Amino acid sequence: MKLEVSIDGRVEVLDVHALTALSVRAPASMSLDTLDAGLREGAWGECAELDHAWLEVAALSECGPTDEQWRTDFNAMIDYADGRGWTRSDRTQVRAHIEYDVDPSGSDDLLISRLLSTRWQGAPKPRRSSR
């Protein structure tokens, strides 16, 4: 299941039958504030940090079909996430990865800057070979 957020903050739910992964997809040029506002405005959830969001379980549940098998599979996804610590203690929200689209123009300076400032901040420096 994937939530796709457009540059103007609109949210569209995709792949409702793909319940083995949960993510939010956003343009690389989108600010975290705009992404957070889009999720909050539609009552989808909120951004937790640059690469994760907390999504409302009830809102996600309402997106799927009403058949019993889908509900069983959806609940199994939430149970799996809960077992890994990826839900709030009351299970009203589930954690999802944020995936940023690559800029088709080839200019991914913003995305690269985000990655360098968060993922590798404080990472050990590479060792030089003693040869």
Side-chain angles (χ1 to χ4, degrees):
M1 182 178 258
K2 186 176 291 190
L3 271 66
E4 186 167 271
V5 184
S6 65
I7 194 67
D8 62 1
R10 287 177 298 148
V11 177
E12 181 180 1
V13 181
L14 306 172
D15 302 329
V16 295
H17 292 286
L19 297 175
T20 58
L22 180 61
S23 63
V24 174
R25 186 173 176 182
S29 61
M30 178 177 275
S31 73
L32 192 59
D33 289 340
T34 303
L35 178 55
D36 185 59
L39 292 175
R40 288 176 187 269
E41 185 176 312
W44 292 107
E46 60 190 317
C47 288
E49 52 203 34
L50 185 63
D51 54 354
H52 290 100
W54 287 102
L55 301 178
E56 297 293 333
V57 171
L60 296 173
S61 176
E62 291 172 11
C63 295
T66 57
D67 67 86
E68 183 131 353
Q69 185 59 55
W70 188 88
R71 297 284 166 207
T72 299
D73 294 345
F74 179 82
N75 290 331
M77 177 181 74
I78 300 303
D79 289 343
Y80 179 86
D82 188 46
R84 308 262 168 323
W86 301 334
T87 61
R88 299 278 193 203
S89 60
D90 60 2
R91 291 176 52 121
T92 59
Q93 291 184 320
V94 61
R95 188 175 174 199
H97 294 283
I98 300 173
E99 301 170 351
Y100 293 96
D101 286 340
V102 176
D103 184 346
S105 71
S107 175
D108 294 316
D109 294 342
L110 180 60
L111 182 58
I112 291 167
S113 172
R114 285 179 175 169
L115 291 172
L116 290 174
S117 69
T118 58
R119 292 198 188 253
W120 293 289
Q121 194 171 46
K125 293 187 171 134
R127 292 183 173 201
R128 293 192 181 260
S129 175
S130 59
R131 292 186 198 183

